[in-house]
Amino acid sequence: MMGPRQEAQAALFYEFSLEAHVPQDHLLRSIDRHLDLSSIRGHLADFYSHTGRPSIDPELLIRMLLAGYCFGIRSERRLCEEVHLNLAYRWFCRLELSDSIPDHSTFSKNRHGRFRESDLLRHVFEMTVARCIEEGLVGGQGFAADASLIVADVQKQNSSNPESWEERTVKPEDAPRAVREYLDVLDDAAFGAASETTPKFTAHADPASQWTAARKGPAFFAYSDNYLIDTDHGVIVDVDASRSIRQAEVGAMRKMIDRTEDRFGLKPDWVAADTAYGSSENLVWLTLKRKILPFIPVIDHSKRKDGTWSRSDFTWDADNDRYICPEGKELHHTRRNYSDPSRHKPKPGRRQYRSLKLDCQRCLSKPKCCPNTATRSINREEYEIVRDFARLCTASEFNPTAQRRRKKVEMLFAHLKCILGLGRLRLRGPCGVQDEFTLAATAQNLRKLAKLKPMVPAIG
């Protein structure tokens, strides 16, 4: 038969324990096991006044932010509602049922103030990396670098082209916060100084964002989220925000490699990346300055598309400073004889090697080599020897393994957008974007720790 109607009756006393109501296999339990925020009060001590009303515990704010990013809750209003209702979130944030939830405005107040001034979010991120190292998840032998486009919080309609910039001139003190932040980083290699090219459009609300059509579709404003990961378990060892152009992304990779060695003493034996990082300048920096093997495809525009011989079909003779064509003819930079041998030594810079006109006229393979010119010429870059070394690395037996491990960083970006919901930014300006990227990377490392080093439930 049908049972009695269930009616809620208020009780005078409740015996309730948050600890008992959070499942032992809940993700937040494993994350909490690896999260130690006891040092942040000391880190922020100089940024609080010794007088006045007591402030909200900064550890509570950080725990709430981390819980939100771990579960894809980036709206601070919604985060406060979820923490108010969800028992697991309350347990993770050390809140009892009777404790009140901070107002959402508290997050922006602290983010624009003491959190940013003290670089607290970077401090928390580095603590998670140190925990991953302590748990043996970071080998330090091989790193991978990549960047992913994240849509900025601006619209095309709220932008202008260079011709109309002067019409919108405003005083720096009257500009929005994101505009002032952009003015502060104009000389930064990751933003204003990344390229001398004038952007086609500039967003009024967030001028540091880049107008780009890199996805081969409609153009949009975006930032680049740069990751440097250890390829053993895909742990993010560093994260950085930059404009969405190749020069800025390459500069971010160098910055992260240097910072990782400075913070944790980690210097990789090799680095894997895609062709965007294969410029001569970057390969020279990796191989000659940092002594790191580059498993990076070289940016090479010498390959011909009309079926004639490319530069790779010619043999380089370093001892005699010459190229030898497939027919055995020589291409020299100069054929003059100097009384002073030092004048014949190769000089730095790009060099051009040419064949003899007589050799090319008599050659039966001229239609395959230089059908439209009298002689064949080949340009050799200043650091072509470094580019050749990078080609040897990508042709080695280990390269397939390095490229397979490099895909872990692409998987992290897919997880970032699909699981954590960071397909579009909420904050504006270089500082706000860096805060979002840092929190997301911290959440991904914590989830990685929880997955690979889970909490073992107590038996009995």
Side-chain angles (χ1 to χ4, degrees), residues 127-189:
M127 286 195 301
T128 63
V129 176
R131 179 67 177 184
C132 292
I133 296 173
E134 181 183 343
E135 293 289 341
L137 301 183
V138 178
Q141 286 77 34
F143 284 178
D146 203 355
S148 182
L149 297 180
I150 307 296
V151 181
D153 186 30
V154 290
Q155 296 292 337
K156 169 66 170 59
Q157 292 77 8
N158 190 26
S159 65
S160 59
N161 53 31
E163 287 75 13
S164 58
W165 285 354
E166 295 182 358
E167 301 175 3
R168 299 187 58 86
T169 302
V170 296
K171 296 180 180 180
E173 57 270 17
D174 297 333
R177 180 184 290 107
V179 177
R180 297 198 301 270
E181 290 178 6
Y182 173 63
L183 296 176
D184 292 337
V185 297
L186 278 176
D187 297 328
D188 195 328

